[in-house]
Amino acid sequence: MDLWGEHPLIFRDFKALVSAKGRGGLVFLHEILANNIYDVPAIKTDKSIRTVFDAGANCGFFALRFASESPGSLIFCFEPHPETFQHLRKNIDANELVQRILPFNEAVGAGSGECTINVSAESSMSIVTSSSIQFLAAPKAVRVPMTSLDDFAGRQKLWPDYIKIDVEGFEV
């Protein structure tokens, strides 16, 4: 058995492919499911929330949980880290949610264009180089597309009912 590879974990409402290696899947899954960092009573009780923008989707655990709790919802996930984006897509596929969770390999910012992110082999996170937070270990710089949520919503002709933003210090 490959202890550092991806392993499927099956929960009540969804499954997640995670790795025990680095600060990634298992750490975030614990924060979301055990520490309930994304539990917002309003989104559990407000059934009018149908369209969600998830900026900083990482491996998709928020989106998977929301989709499992809100049938009929449509979730747009934005994740700029190239490898983490592939994990996001695998999790969406594993849960057969390709029609309801739509992934975009882009950063989210105040404007559209490109930006440089720092990625680390130790983490599934990426950090925009101009962010106030940075990795301690030597990161690798990667150029990625960036969109503003206003521009994205205008192109899609679809406005969100709820926006989750977790972009490692680049929120402003």
Side-chain angles (χ1 to χ4, degrees):
M1 175 192 265
D2 178 11
L3 291 177
W4 299 108
E6 288 183 331
H7 300 282
L9 297 178
I10 300 171
F11 299 94
R12 191 175 24 171
D13 299 321
F14 66 92
K15 60 183 123 177
L17 301 174
V18 298
S19 172
K21 182 181 175 188
R23 281 196 33 83
L26 286 176
V27 171
F28 296 121
L29 198 54
H30 181 265
E31 288 179 356
I32 292 165
L33 297 178
N35 294 341
N36 299 313
I37 63 168
Y38 291 137
D39 276 5
V40 179
I43 63 173
K44 285 185 177 263
T45 58
D46 187 348
K47 298 304 175 195
S48 69
I49 297 174
R50 309 308 280 161
T51 304
V52 174
F53 286 3
D54 182 357
N58 202 278
C59 297
F61 303 137
F62 169 82
L64 294 171
R65 186 170 185 187
F66 186 83
S68 70
E69 293 173 350
S70 302
S73 59
L74 183 60
I75 305 156
F76 296 85
C77 292
F78 302 89
E79 176 53 50
H81 189 303
E83 291 176 31
T84 303
F85 180 75
Q86 294 308 317
H87 290 286
L88 169 63
R89 291 182 65 185
K90 288 178 187 178
N91 280 328
I92 294 167
D93 291 342
N95 287 277
E96 300 178 1
L97 290 168
V98 295
Q99 300 299 317
R100 293 188 43 223
I101 301 177
L102 307 174
F104 294 86
N105 193 196
E106 298 177 291
V108 170
S112 295
E114 286 189 330
C115 69
T116 302
I117 59 171
N118 286 330
V119 298
S120 168
E122 305 170 347
S123 177
S124 63
M125 297 185 313
S126 60
I127 299 171
V128 175
T129 55
S130 62
S131 173
S132 60
I133 299 172
Q134 291 300 314
F135 288 116
L136 296 176
K140 176 176 125 182
V142 178
R143 199 87 177 132
V144 298
M146 183 170 66
T147 188
S148 77
L149 294 180
D150 286 338
D151 289 347
F152 180 83
R155 286 192 307 272
Q156 298 291 322
K157 298 186 182 358
L158 182 68
W159 298 95
D161 300 310
Y162 185 82
I163 301 172
K164 176 256 183 189
I165 302 173
D166 186 358
V167 292
E168 308 311 323
F170 198 61
E171 287 81 1
V172 176

